Amino acid sequence: MTRSDDAGLPAMARASVALPDATGEVRSFDLVPAGPGEGWLEVIASGICGTDVALFGRGVAEPTVLGHHVVGRVAALGAEAARRRDLVLGDRVVLEEYLPCGRCPTCATGSYRLCPETDLWRGGRRVGLIPAAERPGLTGGNAEFTFLPANAVTHRVPAGLSDALAAWVLPYANAIDWVTGAGALRGGETVVVLGPGYHGLAVAASARRAGAGRVFVTGLARDAQRLEMAEALGAHPVVVADETVRFGHLPEGTADVVVDTVGSDPSVLDPAVALLGHGGRLVLTSPKNPAPITLDSASLFRQGLHVAAVRGRSPEAIAEALTSLTAGDSGLDAVPTVEVDLDGTAEMLARLAAGTGPESPHVVVRPAA
Ligand SMILES: [Zn+2]
Ligand SMILES: [Zn+2]
């Protein structure tokens, strides 16, 4: 391909725009021609993650097309982008949210997820978080089409992987990174997952696949159905009641890895930390509401614990997620997918923010539905 081939691209596309007053509306956007290094994706699926729910519920600073767990089909691609990405029109890709600079020392080591230009705490920019007023306005998954900036990161989806399971690639890759990377899980070890949400279930699935001996997933009484999904993934459900975590048959000091997906709430973290045995690893994954946290330093020293806070996932974890999902050994097809179209996206985000969302935590925007 020697030119920007976008003959099949429509002139306009619809998107669900999140608004500062914690509501949303569908708007139409012009699809500008892609430059040589750029392109457009037709969105197949855009997974709703806890970060989207928190952003929507708080009210975004400026109208924004959310959606950063994106699977799409290449609909336009400049010549340079086609060569560099080794993609052609019609290929399916997973789009990461990072827009790394590609020049800094962090990018040079391959850790582009930690590039300062993707750091939200320092004004970094990401797919799904760019104001709609910025040209081309449409860099987010909750849309019929999403722009592919020159520095976007894409991964080809294997032919054998269904669109439905492809929507799991990013959260499952996160989970693989957190469990086997930061969590350094070894075969036979015991894992405790705090929270049976979208990422919590993915962590349970990745822990089982990585050879954990036992996996426990905690939830509240109202999470009964999500805990059943955790059971279907091979985990033991644990109901947390009255803000007191009781892990029943799991004695203190016997867990190897605790993965927190609920947001570092001390009422949960303290008893969870007490579960960790010598050399245990506490993995903090959820910066939705960043705040100082306290940890029992006596436990940290006595048990020689490791505490890791993670951001996203490595490209190796994405490759492993694609392999596992294509091979059908993730178990995640046991978790029902709730699909929503663009007209229902804002209402769904509002329900999720209010805690009245569907039983399954796997909610996917399907713009063509
Ligand atoms: Zn996310
Ligand atoms: Zn960089």
Side-chain angles (χ1 to χ4, degrees):
M1 199 182 312
T2 57
R3 63 192 176 87
S4 171
D5 191 342
D6 53 8
L9 201 65
M12 302 191 82
R14 301 168 76 234
S16 178
V17 183
L19 301 174
D21 65 355
T23 65
E25 65 186 18
V26 173
R27 294 183 187 171
S28 288
F29 291 80
D30 292 328
L31 301 192
V32 300
E38 302 165 344
W40 284 93
L41 297 181
E42 183 175 11
V43 176
I44 296 171
S46 172
I48 294 180
C49 132
T51 308
D52 297 316
V53 175
L55 284 165
F56 184 92
R58 274 201 298 268
V60 289
E62 294 179 67
T64 302
V65 179
L66 299 175
H68 60 276
H69 287 188
V70 185
V71 181
R73 193 178 300 282
V74 178
L77 204 58
E80 183 193 321
R83 180 174 42 75
R84 195 161 36 80
R85 297 178 188 280
D86 189 23
L87 292 172
V88 296
L89 295 185
D91 279 347
R92 290 184 307 160
V93 295
V94 168
L95 170 66
E96 290 198 76
E97 64 270 45
Y98 311 121
L99 296 170
C101 76
R103 297 178 305 274
C104 71
T106 310
C107 282
T109 66
S111 295
Y112 54 84
R113 61 172 148 168
L114 302 178
C115 172
E117 295 200 6
T118 73
D119 185 345
L120 298 182
W121 288 277
R122 294 183 185 177
R125 294 155 55 81
R126 294 185 177 191
V127 170
L129 287 174
I130 295 175
E134 270 187 44
R135 199 171 177 277
L138 208 46
T139 311
N142 298 348
E144 291 172 327
F145 288 80
T146 186
F147 185 63
L148 195 60
N151 57 343
V153 184
T154 53
H155 304 264
R156 188 194 308 274
V157 175
L161 180 55
S162 69
D163 288 345
L165 271 183
W168 273 110
V169 171
L170 288 181
Y172 187 43
N174 288 341
I176 290 169
D177 187 278
W178 303 343
V179 168
T180 63
L185 180 75
R186 292 181 290 265
E189 289 189 330
T190 296
V191 178
V192 178
V193 186
L194 306 182
Y198 180 50
H199 277 109
L201 294 180
V203 168
S206 70
R208 289 299 291 171
R209 180 170 176 275
R214 292 185 300 172
V215 180
F216 296 84
V217 177
T218 70
L220 303 170
R222 67 163 192 248
D223 297 321
Q225 276 170 290
R226 294 183 174 198
L227 290 171
E228 278 177 24
M229 294 172 204
E231 251 183 312
L233 291 167
H236 303 278
V238 178
V239 176
V240 179
D242 306 327
E243 297 187 356
T244 307
V245 182
R246 283 187 293 272
F247 289 95
H249 38 298
L250 184 62
E252 290 196 350
T254 59
D256 300 289
V257 182
V258 169
V259 182
D260 170 42
T261 72
V262 298
S264 310
D265 179 340
S267 71
V268 180
L269 271 190
D270 285 345
V273 165
L275 289 175
L276 284 165
H278 187 73
R281 284 83 72 194
L282 172 66
V283 182
L284 305 174
T285 75
S286 185
K288 287 189 279 288
N289 298 297
I293 57 170
T294 55
L295 290 171
D296 174 12
S297 59
S299 289
L300 294 181
F301 286 109
R302 196 172 61 243
Q303 301 283 39
L305 304 183
H306 302 254
V307 181
V310 293
R311 247 169 73 191
R313 85 301 301 184
S314 65
E316 293 78 17
I318 292 194
E320 196 171 335
L322 287 166
T323 299
S324 169
L325 289 162
T326 305
D329 66 11
S330 72
L332 287 168
D333 39 5
V335 181
T337 301
V338 178
E339 294 187 356
V340 59
D341 63 14
L342 286 179
D343 293 301
T345 298
E347 186 193 339
M348 176 59 79
L349 282 162
R351 279 180 60 196
L352 289 163
T356 56
E359 296 295 351
S360 175
H362 189 221
V363 183
V364 177
V365 177
R366 295 291 296 257

